[in-house]
Amino acid sequence: WLYRALVFLVISCPCALVLSVPLGFFGGIGGMAKNGILVKGGNYLEALSRVGLLAADKTGTLTQGVFEVSFIKTNGLPEEELLEICALAEHASSHPIAKALLRAWGKELDVSRVSHIQETAGLGVSANVDGKKVLIGKLSFLQSQGVKELTPAANALYCAINGRFAGVITIEDKLKKDAQQAVFALKKQGVKQIVLLTGDNASSAKKICQEVGADACYADLLPADKVTQLEKLKAALPAKYTLAFAGDGINDAPVLARADVGIAMGALGSDAAVEAADVVLMSDEPVKIPQAVACARFTLRIVRQNIWIALGIKTVILLLGLTGHANLWEAVFADVGVSVAAVLNSCRPLTYKPRV
């Protein structure tokens, strides 16, 4: 009975489980880092493997985020004068649209002509240029300031001078080359729904939504509106699935923090977005999102394999030891041998290269 007890004691050592489960997650995190995907913890890896809904920002996430002025229509003013006024009013802003206006102007600006600049987040800018009150922004922004005679247009930036409509500037943003591939791969992986949450106007959002193959889009959203919409989507999602949000801007930080898995574009994304996110894509490629999901699922498979291998072999040899059919060498194999096998299996995610 003493010999059997010692055999039983050696077999029942939990080293294989204690080592293999955390090492499996470490291997998954290391393998994803080699693929340019940084994960901030094993719990986010597990949540990523169960993604059932992906919500994504449009600008800078699915599109290149590099705006270009494509068309200018004025209401009496010369096009060059309207562009200069808009560039002056927007010169202090860090928004990508403001940078597009400055690139389109392409000349040095006399910023002493500008005063009283006020930026309303997600809507527009008001400023005094040469003593005239200039409003630049969305259709709703100008309408709220009492400007009339406005016609809705896609990707449009509206301008009013002294309360009178002065013109509209069309700004285009190109889709990233792998955005469609990313959406197709996610659907192939079984992600139930892919939606866009954007602050852009409805016509622009709908166009991008159709191009990438997303299921739905929600436009004209302020940062707080994105959080509210995310809560609604999460409430409608079955409990077995998690919700992921992909974004890049400072306005996306609250949504990234609220999602089950926040995914930030790390190369050109804002520091606030990277800080709030759980997963960071170092190359800003949307196709990295399905790659991250594939790596997470592979890692979870490895962890489950380790658990079943350890428990299965130990259970069999424990029963043999209980009946006196297992000796000390078999007990050592059930302990050290299984531990080594589980550790080696945990290294597989380090060399895993997902194909999407």
Side-chain angles (χ1 to χ4, degrees):
W1 63 265
L2 180 60
Y3 185 81
R4 281 193 198 181
L6 291 174
V7 169
F8 202 86
L9 183 63
V10 172
I11 299 170
S12 61
C13 178
C15 288
L17 287 175
V18 173
L19 287 172
S20 63
V21 173
L23 280 179
F25 283 106
F26 293 156
I29 292 171
M32 292 174 75
K34 289 175 69 175
N35 289 309
I37 305 165
L38 303 184
V39 185
K40 296 183 179 180
N43 53 332
Y44 304 121
L45 199 66
E46 186 174 1
L48 193 60
S49 70
R50 298 188 291 112
V51 169
L53 188 151
L54 174 72
D57 177 48
K58 180 179 78 71
T59 305
T61 302
L62 296 179
T63 63
Q64 296 177 8
V66 181
F67 292 95
E68 298 292 341
V69 173
S70 60
F71 179 73
I72 300 176
K73 182 180 180 181
T74 67
N75 189 22
L77 285 176
E79 290 184 6
E80 188 171 350
E81 184 178 346
L82 177 67
L83 184 59
E84 182 184 16
I85 290 171
C86 291
L88 283 166
E90 293 271 14
H91 82 276
S93 175
S94 60
H95 196 279
I97 289 179
K99 294 178 180 179
L101 290 173
L102 293 174
R103 284 195 301 271
W105 174 245
K107 303 175 186 177
E108 189 175 349
L109 291 168
D110 182 7
V111 296
S112 63
R113 297 165 56 189
V114 191
S115 62
H116 300 91
I117 299 174
Q118 291 184 339
E119 184 171 357
T120 305
L123 292 176
V125 171
S126 65
N128 285 347
V129 179
D130 296 331
K132 301 174 183 177
K133 185 176 181 179
V134 177
L135 299 172
I136 305 169
K138 292 183 176 180
L139 179 68
S140 58
F141 177 64
L142 269 67
Q143 287 175 333
S144 67
Q145 301 294 320
V147 181
K148 300 178 180 179
E149 300 176 0
L150 298 171
T151 303
N155 305 321
L157 187 69
Y158 297 87
C159 178
I161 300 175
N162 287 336
R164 182 172 177 270
F165 175 61
V168 61
I169 298 175
T170 302
I171 307 242
E172 295 288 346
D173 187 15
K174 295 181 180 179
L175 200 65
K176 288 183 179 178
K177 60 181 181 181
D178 59 343
Q180 291 175 322
Q181 180 188 355
V183 172
F184 176 78
L186 285 166
K187 289 185 175 181
K188 190 176 179 180
Q189 288 174 338
V191 176
K192 304 299 180 184
Q193 194 176 11
I194 298 170
V195 302
L196 300 186
L197 303 181
T198 178
D200 289 355
N201 60 64
S203 57
S204 174
K206 188 175 180 180
K207 178 185 176 184
I208 295 296
C209 182
Q210 291 174 343
E211 286 182 8
V212 299
D215 300 299
C217 63
Y218 302 90
D220 294 313
L221 299 178
L222 296 175
D225 298 329
K226 286 186 178 183
V227 176
T228 302
Q229 188 59 51
L230 192 82
E231 296 282 3
K232 293 178 181 177
L233 293 169
K234 184 173 173 59
L237 193 66
K240 65 179 181 178
Y241 295 115
T242 58
L243 186 150
F245 177 81
D248 70 308
I250 190 171
N251 291 339
D252 296 324
V255 203
L256 287 166
R258 181 63 190 89
D260 295 321
V261 185
I263 304 172
M265 301 293 163
L268 297 177
S270 69
D271 292 342
V274 171
E275 182 69 26
D278 310 309
V279 179
V280 181
L281 310 181
M282 299 310 297
S283 61
D284 285 0
E285 298 173 82
V287 77
K288 291 290 184 183
I289 300 175
Q291 287 181 7
V293 173
C295 286
R297 290 178 178 176
F298 181 76
T299 301
L300 265 293
R301 284 201 301 272
I302 295 297
V303 170
R304 292 190 187 100
Q305 285 174 12
N306 288 341
I307 292 172
W308 285 111
I309 288 171
L311 291 179
I313 293 176
K314 282 181 178 290
T315 300
V316 170
I317 300 183
L318 275 172
L319 292 174
L320 292 173
L322 193 63
T323 58
H325 292 88
N327 58 31
L328 196 57
W329 287 108
E330 291 167 335
V332 170
F333 168 75
D335 177 27
V336 180
V338 172
S339 297
V340 171
V343 169
L344 292 175
N345 195 36
S346 298
C347 295
R348 288 172 59 200
L350 288 170
T351 57
Y352 179 68
K353 294 183 179 181
R355 296 180 181 179
V356 296

mmCIF file with all atom_site columns, all heavy atoms in Angstrom, residues 251-265:
data_model
loop_
_atom_site.group_PDB
_atom_site.id
_atom_site.type_symbol
_atom_site.label_atom_id
_atom_site.label_alt_id
_atom_site.label_comp_id
_atom_site.label_asym_id
_atom_site.label_entity_id
_atom_site.label_seq_id
_atom_site.pdbx_PDB_ins_code
_atom_site.Cartn_x
_atom_site.Cartn_y
_atom_site.Cartn_z
_atom_site.occupancy
_atom_site.B_iso_or_equiv
_atom_site.pdbx_formal_charge
_atom_site.auth_seq_id
_atom_site.auth_comp_id
_atom_site.auth_asym_id
_atom_site.auth_atom_id
_atom_site.pdbx_PDB_model_num
ATOM 1   N N   . ASN A 1 251 ? -11.317 60.221 -30.442 1.00 0.00 ? 251 ASN A N   1
ATOM 2   C CA  . ASN A 1 251 ? -12.757 60.143 -30.200 1.00 0.00 ? 251 ASN A CA  1
ATOM 3   C C   . ASN A 1 251 ? -13.235 58.705 -29.997 1.00 0.00 ? 251 ASN A C   1
ATOM 4   O O   . ASN A 1 251 ? -14.339 58.479 -29.494 1.00 0.00 ? 251 ASN A O   1
ATOM 5   C CB  . ASN A 1 251 ? -13.530 60.765 -31.372 1.00 0.00 ? 251 ASN A CB  1
ATOM 6   C CG  . ASN A 1 251 ? -13.352 62.265 -31.441 1.00 0.00 ? 251 ASN A CG  1
ATOM 7   O OD1 . ASN A 1 251 ? -12.997 62.895 -30.446 1.00 0.00 ? 251 ASN A OD1 1
ATOM 8   N ND2 . ASN A 1 251 ? -13.584 62.839 -32.597 1.00 0.00 ? 251 ASN A ND2 1
ATOM 9   N N   . ASP A 1 252 ? -12.400 57.738 -30.413 1.00 0.00 ? 252 ASP A N   1
ATOM 10  C CA  . ASP A 1 252 ? -12.776 56.324 -30.272 1.00 0.00 ? 252 ASP A CA  1
ATOM 11  C C   . ASP A 1 252 ? -12.377 55.744 -28.916 1.00 0.00 ? 252 ASP A C   1
ATOM 12  O O   . ASP A 1 252 ? -12.768 54.620 -28.593 1.00 0.00 ? 252 ASP A O   1
ATOM 13  C CB  . ASP A 1 252 ? -12.115 55.486 -31.383 1.00 0.00 ? 252 ASP A CB  1
ATOM 14  C CG  . ASP A 1 252 ? -12.608 55.876 -32.763 1.00 0.00 ? 252 ASP A CG  1
ATOM 15  O OD1 . ASP A 1 252 ? -13.799 56.200 -32.892 1.00 0.00 ? 252 ASP A OD1 1
ATOM 16  O OD2 . ASP A 1 252 ? -11.802 55.857 -33.711 1.00 0.00 ? 252 ASP A OD2 1
ATOM 17  N N   . ALA A 1 253 ? -11.602 56.480 -28.129 1.00 0.00 ? 253 ALA A N   1
ATOM 18  C CA  . ALA A 1 253 ? -11.089 55.954 -26.865 1.00 0.00 ? 253 ALA A CA  1
ATOM 19  C C   . ALA A 1 253 ? -12.197 55.483 -25.916 1.00 0.00 ? 253 ALA A C   1
ATOM 20  O O   . ALA A 1 253 ? -12.092 54.398 -25.335 1.00 0.00 ? 253 ALA A O   1
ATOM 21  C CB  . ALA A 1 253 ? -10.197 56.989 -26.184 1.00 0.00 ? 253 ALA A CB  1
ATOM 22  N N   . PRO A 1 254 ? -13.299 56.245 -25.733 1.00 0.00 ? 254 PRO A N   1
ATOM 23  C CA  . PRO A 1 254 ? -14.354 55.756 -24.827 1.00 0.00 ? 254 PRO A CA  1
ATOM 24  C C   . PRO A 1 254 ? -14.988 54.448 -25.297 1.00 0.00 ? 254 PRO A C   1
ATOM 25  O O   . PRO A 1 254 ? -15.318 53.583 -24.479 1.00 0.00 ? 254 PRO A O   1
ATOM 26  C CB  . PRO A 1 254 ? -15.382 56.904 -24.840 1.00 0.00 ? 254 PRO A CB  1
ATOM 27  C CG  . PRO A 1 254 ? -14.627 58.104 -25.268 1.00 0.00 ? 254 PRO A CG  1
ATOM 28  C CD  . PRO A 1 254 ? -13.597 57.609 -26.214 1.00 0.00 ? 254 PRO A CD  1
ATOM 29  N N   . VAL A 1 255 ? -15.165 54.298 -26.614 1.00 0.00 ? 255 VAL A N   1
ATOM 30  C CA  . VAL A 1 255 ? -15.784 53.082 -27.149 1.00 0.00 ? 255 VAL A CA  1
ATOM 31  C C   . VAL A 1 255 ? -14.816 51.906 -27.042 1.00 0.00 ? 255 VAL A C   1
ATOM 32  O O   . VAL A 1 255 ? -15.225 50.779 -26.743 1.00 0.00 ? 255 VAL A O   1
ATOM 33  C CB  . VAL A 1 255 ? -16.199 53.282 -28.619 1.00 0.00 ? 255 VAL A CB  1
ATOM 34  C CG1 . VAL A 1 255 ? -17.292 52.314 -29.009 1.00 0.00 ? 255 VAL A CG1 1
ATOM 35  C CG2 . VAL A 1 255 ? -16.661 54.704 -28.869 1.00 0.00 ? 255 VAL A CG2 1
ATOM 36  N N   . LEU A 1 256 ? -13.536 52.157 -27.288 1.00 0.00 ? 256 LEU A N   1
ATOM 37  C CA  . LEU A 1 256 ? -12.528 51.104 -27.162 1.00 0.00 ? 256 LEU A CA  1
ATOM 38  C C   . LEU A 1 256 ? -12.478 50.560 -25.733 1.00 0.00 ? 256 LEU A C   1
ATOM 39  O O   . LEU A 1 256 ? -12.332 49.364 -25.507 1.00 0.00 ? 256 LEU A O   1
ATOM 40  C CB  . LEU A 1 256 ? -11.149 51.643 -27.561 1.00 0.00 ? 256 LEU A CB  1
ATOM 41  C CG  . LEU A 1 256 ? -10.918 51.876 -29.053 1.00 0.00 ? 256 LEU A CG  1
ATOM 42  C CD1 . LEU A 1 256 ? -9.668  52.730 -29.276 1.00 0.00 ? 256 LEU A CD1 1
ATOM 43  C CD2 . LEU A 1 256 ? -10.767 50.551 -29.793 1.00 0.00 ? 256 LEU A CD2 1
ATOM 44  N N   . ALA A 1 257 ? -12.619 51.475 -24.771 1.00 0.00 ? 257 ALA A N   1
ATOM 45  C CA  . ALA A 1 257 ? -12.586 51.057 -23.373 1.00 0.00 ? 257 ALA A CA  1
ATOM 46  C C   . ALA A 1 257 ? -13.843 50.294 -22.973 1.00 0.00 ? 257 ALA A C   1
ATOM 47  O O   . ALA A 1 257 ? -13.795 49.413 -22.120 1.00 0.00 ? 257 ALA A O   1
ATOM 48  C CB  . ALA A 1 257 ? -12.400 52.275 -22.476 1.00 0.00 ? 257 ALA A CB  1
ATOM 49  N N   . ARG A 1 258 ? -14.969 50.618 -23.602 1.00 0.00 ? 258 ARG A N   1
ATOM 50  C CA  . ARG A 1 258 ? -16.244 49.990 -23.216 1.00 0.00 ? 258 ARG A CA  1
ATOM 51  C C   . ARG A 1 258 ? -16.454 48.635 -23.875 1.00 0.00 ? 258 ARG A C   1
ATOM 52  O O   . ARG A 1 258 ? -17.133 47.772 -23.311 1.00 0.00 ? 258 ARG A O   1
ATOM 53  C CB  . ARG A 1 258 ? -17.409 50.931 -23.598 1.00 0.00 ? 258 ARG A CB  1
ATOM 54  C CG  . ARG A 1 258 ? -18.776 50.392 -23.212 1.00 0.00 ? 258 ARG A CG  1
ATOM 55  C CD  . ARG A 1 258 ? -18.910 50.237 -21.718 1.00 0.00 ? 258 ARG A CD  1
ATOM 56  N NE  . ARG A 1 258 ? -20.106 49.513 -21.342 1.00 0.00 ? 258 ARG A NE  1
ATOM 57  C CZ  . ARG A 1 258 ? -20.190 48.193 -21.217 1.00 0.00 ? 258 ARG A CZ  1
ATOM 58  N NH1 . ARG A 1 258 ? -19.122 47.441 -21.449 1.00 0.00 ? 258 ARG A NH1 1
ATOM 59  N NH2 . ARG A 1 258 ? -21.316 47.618 -20.864 1.00 0.00 ? 258 ARG A NH2 1
ATOM 60  N N   . ALA A 1 259 ? -15.881 48.403 -25.043 1.00 0.00 ? 259 ALA A N   1
ATOM 61  C CA  . ALA A 1 259 ? -16.077 47.134 -25.753 1.00 0.00 ? 259 ALA A CA  1
ATOM 62  C C   . ALA A 1 259 ? -15.437 45.983 -24.987 1.00 0.00 ? 259 ALA A C   1
ATOM 63  O O   . ALA A 1 259 ? -14.518 46.181 -24.180 1.00 0.00 ? 259 ALA A O   1
ATOM 64  C CB  . ALA A 1 259 ? -15.483 47.230 -27.154 1.00 0.00 ? 259 ALA A CB  1
ATOM 65  N N   . ASP A 1 260 ? -15.918 44.762 -25.238 1.00 0.00 ? 260 ASP A N   1
ATOM 66  C CA  . ASP A 1 260 ? -15.294 43.588 -24.626 1.00 0.00 ? 260 ASP A CA  1
ATOM 67  C C   . ASP A 1 260 ? -13.846 43.461 -25.068 1.00 0.00 ? 260 ASP A C   1
ATOM 68  O O   . ASP A 1 260 ? -12.973 43.085 -24.284 1.00 0.00 ? 260 ASP A O   1
ATOM 69  C CB  . ASP A 1 260 ? -16.066 42.315 -25.022 1.00 0.00 ? 260 ASP A CB  1
ATOM 70  C CG  . ASP A 1 260 ? -17.475 42.309 -24.466 1.00 0.00 ? 260 ASP A CG  1
ATOM 71  O OD1 . ASP A 1 260 ? -17.660 42.740 -23.317 1.00 0.00 ? 260 ASP A OD1 1
ATOM 72  O OD2 . ASP A 1 260 ? -18.397 41.879 -25.189 1.00 0.00 ? 260 ASP A OD2 1
ATOM 73  N N   . VAL A 1 261 ? -13.604 43.770 -26.349 1.00 0.00 ? 261 VAL A N   1
ATOM 74  C CA  . VAL A 1 261 ? -12.239 43.780 -26.889 1.00 0.00 ? 261 VAL A CA  1
ATOM 75  C C   . VAL A 1 261 ? -12.081 45.054 -27.716 1.00 0.00 ? 261 VAL A C   1
ATOM 76  O O   . VAL A 1 261 ? -12.745 45.224 -28.739 1.00 0.00 ? 261 VAL A O   1
ATOM 77  C CB  . VAL A 1 261 ? -11.954 42.546 -27.776 1.00 0.00 ? 261 VAL A CB  1
ATOM 78  C CG1 . VAL A 1 261 ? -10.490 42.550 -28.208 1.00 0.00 ? 261 VAL A CG1 1
ATOM 79  C CG2 . VAL A 1 261 ? -12.283 41.261 -27.054 1.00 0.00 ? 261 VAL A CG2 1
ATOM 80  N N   . GLY A 1 262 ? -11.220 45.943 -27.272 1.00 0.00 ? 262 GLY A N   1
ATOM 81  C CA  . GLY A 1 262 ? -10.930 47.160 -28.028 1.00 0.00 ? 262 GLY A CA  1
ATOM 82  C C   . GLY A 1 262 ? -9.700  46.945 -28.895 1.00 0.00 ? 262 GLY A C   1
ATOM 83  O O   . GLY A 1 262 ? -8.653  46.523 -28.400 1.00 0.00 ? 262 GLY A O   1
ATOM 84  N N   . ILE A 1 263 ? -9.823  47.217 -30.197 1.00 0.00 ? 263 ILE A N   1
ATOM 85  C CA  . ILE A 1 263 ? -8.723  46.995 -31.147 1.00 0.00 ? 263 ILE A CA  1
ATOM 86  C C   . ILE A 1 263 ? -8.321  48.344 -31.731 1.00 0.00 ? 263 ILE A C   1
ATOM 87  O O   . ILE A 1 263 ? -9.133  49.007 -32.383 1.00 0.00 ? 263 ILE A O   1
ATOM 88  C CB  . ILE A 1 263 ? -9.149  46.035 -32.273 1.00 0.00 ? 263 ILE A CB  1
ATOM 89  C CG1 . ILE A 1 263 ? -9.649  44.707 -31.684 1.00 0.00 ? 263 ILE A CG1 1
ATOM 90  C CG2 . ILE A 1 263 ? -7.991  45.787 -33.231 1.00 0.00 ? 263 ILE A CG2 1
ATOM 91  C CD1 . ILE A 1 263 ? -10.265 43.778 -32.706 1.00 0.00 ? 263 ILE A CD1 1
ATOM 92  N N   . ALA A 1 264 ? -7.089  48.768 -31.494 1.00 0.00 ? 264 ALA A N   1
ATOM 93  C CA  . ALA A 1 264 ? -6.618  50.073 -31.965 1.00 0.00 ? 264 ALA A CA  1
ATOM 94  C C   . ALA A 1 264 ? -5.610  49.914 -33.092 1.00 0.00 ? 264 ALA A C   1
ATOM 95  O O   . ALA A 1 264 ? -4.825  48.961 -33.122 1.00 0.00 ? 264 ALA A O   1
ATOM 96  C CB  . ALA A 1 264 ? -5.984  50.851 -30.815 1.00 0.00 ? 264 ALA A CB  1
ATOM 97  N N   . MET A 1 265 ? -5.666  50.855 -34.028 1.00 0.00 ? 265 MET A N   1
ATOM 98  C CA  . MET A 1 265 ? -4.661  50.935 -35.082 1.00 0.00 ? 265 MET A CA  1
ATOM 99  C C   . MET A 1 265 ? -3.438  51.644 -34.491 1.00 0.00 ? 265 MET A C   1
ATOM 100 O O   . MET A 1 265 ? -3.509  52.828 -34.150 1.00 0.00 ? 265 MET A O   1
ATOM 101 C CB  . MET A 1 265 ? -5.208  51.717 -36.280 1.00 0.00 ? 265 MET A CB  1
ATOM 102 C CG  . MET A 1 265 ? -6.462  51.099 -36.869 1.00 0.00 ? 265 MET A CG  1
ATOM 103 S SD  . MET A 1 265 ? -6.123  49.508 -37.631 1.00 0.00 ? 265 MET A SD  1
ATOM 104 C CE  . MET A 1 265 ? -7.759  48.808 -37.767 1.00 0.00 ? 265 MET A CE  1
#
